[in-house]
Amino acid sequence: MDSKKKQSPKKERATYSIADELGGIDLLDADYHRQNFSRHSHEGYTVGVIENGAQQFYRTGGNHVAPQGSIILVNADEVHSGHSATEGGWSYKAMYPLPDQFETISHELAAGLSSNGAPYFPSPVVYDPELASQLRLVFETLEKSDNRLLRETLLYGVLTKLMCKHGKRPTAPQDVSKAQRQLKLVKEFLDDFPSADISLQELANLASFSPYHLVRAFQKEYGFPPHAYQIQARLRLAKRLIRRGHTVSDAAQESGFHDQSHLHRHFKKAMGITPGQFAKQVAR
């Protein structure tokens, strides 16, 4: 009889919550071991601190490794993925501030960033022990303290320091080509009507492109082909509906997924948690 006992796989944990400051900021506290995030995007930025282990992720056209103590930065709407870079997995805490929330703070800065828009973070991984320590304090305070003055003060302070130390001024608007305007029409349609049952040919007609040209040009511009971008838009809608208290089944139907299992599969791969778990944690 084999005396060696098989070690049971470590349990994965992901806890979402919402901080009321700045109109509401999503927070995540997670331990992952087998989670493999598909390429996806968020409406907000990702600002995370690796607590244990290391994460490997795709961002800005390349792969990066974030070890323990480092800070992960992903810009809003930027395509990224993620999985463990070590056998033991990784733990991290993250927040997802929206561009207009950063803009609210940048407008109040007397110096540093321009007030014309939210910042751009060029480095996917930042080594800044002081800032990482301050981020941990913010996460702990948002979790445990109901002192609104303390919560707001720490959050404003850490986001301001993050922008000033690691952010860049927004790029000045460049002349937009006709092709980019046509592609934007397609993106805006998918954003505004994520549940619509639209064909590639109909989207191509909207942009005055051939279907083949649309697929290639859209992916080059936005990081996803149109059908994959539609899934991202549907996930965002489903997430909003669940947060408002809709059932997972209703959210799946209203956001355009074939059924609840289809939403479940894509939600888990993009969010690291099932829609049912998400509903229990954040629905209001």
Side-chain angles (χ1 to χ4, degrees):
M1 185 175 180
D2 190 354
S3 60
K4 293 183 179 179
K5 293 183 178 180
K6 291 184 178 180
Q7 292 185 346
S8 58
K10 295 181 180 179
K11 291 185 177 180
E12 301 202 335
R13 176 187 61 85
T15 303
Y16 275 87
S17 58
I18 303 171
D20 292 331
E21 285 68 27
L22 285 172
I25 292 182
D26 287 4
L27 305 171
L28 171 64
D29 181 359
D31 296 308
Y32 289 127
H33 304 278
R34 300 173 304 279
Q35 175 67 28
N36 190 348
F37 288 94
S38 61
R39 290 194 181 187
H40 63 285
S41 62
H42 300 290
E43 291 176 286
Y45 294 77
T46 300
V47 180
V49 179
I50 302 295
E51 300 285 58
N52 293 291
Q55 181 188 13
Q56 181 172 326
F57 65 103
Y58 169 89
R59 195 213 104 168
T60 320
N63 292 309
H64 312 275
V65 174
Q68 182 177 352
S70 63
I71 299 171
I72 289 176
L73 297 173
V74 180
N75 296 291
D77 289 321
E78 195 165 33
V79 179
H80 61 289
S81 64
H83 59 86
S84 180
T86 64
E87 290 186 3
W90 83 102
S91 303
Y92 73 124
K93 298 180 187 293
M95 66 174 71
Y96 303 88
L98 297 170
D100 60 359
Q101 292 170 329
F102 266 122
E103 288 175 9
T104 297
I105 298 174
S106 67
H107 288 172
E108 300 171 358
L109 295 179
L113 289 172
S114 164
S115 62
N116 292 328
Y120 175 78
F121 296 107
S123 300
V125 181
V126 167
Y127 302 93
D128 187 331
E130 179 184 2
L131 184 59
S133 178
Q134 291 179 1
L135 280 166
R136 291 191 187 96
L137 177 60
V138 170
F139 288 126
E140 181 179 5
T141 302
L142 292 176
E143 178 185 358
K144 298 180 179 180
S145 175
D146 59 1
N147 185 318
R148 292 188 299 168
L149 180 59
L150 175 62
R151 290 162 61 100
E152 290 182 9
T153 300
L154 292 178
L155 181 61
Y156 271 75
V158 78
L159 291 181
T160 299
K161 181 166 288 189
L162 179 65
M163 286 191 294
C164 291
K165 293 187 70 175
H166 302 290
K168 299 294 184 183
R169 287 183 173 87
T171 304
Q174 303 293 323
D175 291 335
V176 179
S177 69
K178 180 181 178 181
Q180 287 175 313
R181 290 195 297 270
Q182 291 168 302
L183 289 171
K184 188 176 180 182
L185 287 176
V186 174
K187 178 180 180 296
E188 288 176 345
F189 180 90
L190 295 174
D191 286 333
D192 293 341
F193 305 100
S195 62
D197 181 16
I198 190 168
S199 70
L200 177 60
Q201 183 64 62
E202 289 169 328
L203 286 177
N205 292 342
L206 181 63
S208 299
F209 284 177
S210 71
Y212 174 76
H213 185 194
L214 174 61
V215 170
R216 294 189 62 190
F218 194 94
Q219 179 156 4
K220 182 177 180 181
E221 185 74 13
Y222 298 113
F224 293 107
H227 75 278
Y229 186 86
Q230 184 186 57
I231 290 174
Q232 300 302 308
R234 288 178 172 180
L235 285 174
R236 293 176 184 182
L237 175 56
K239 182 181 173 184
R240 289 195 297 269
L241 292 172
I242 292 171
R243 284 179 59 168
R244 294 173 191 162
H246 291 242
T247 66
V248 174
S249 177
D250 286 345
Q253 183 176 5
E254 291 185 36
S255 56
F257 286 98
H258 296 310
D259 51 38
Q260 190 170 327
S261 63
H262 193 212
L263 169 62
H264 181 106
R265 182 170 68 256
H266 286 290
F267 201 98
K268 181 69 164 63
K269 290 175 69 177
M271 298 285 293
I273 190 172
T274 68
Q277 292 169 328
F278 182 78
K280 290 178 181 179
Q281 294 176 5
V282 304
R284 296 183 172 188

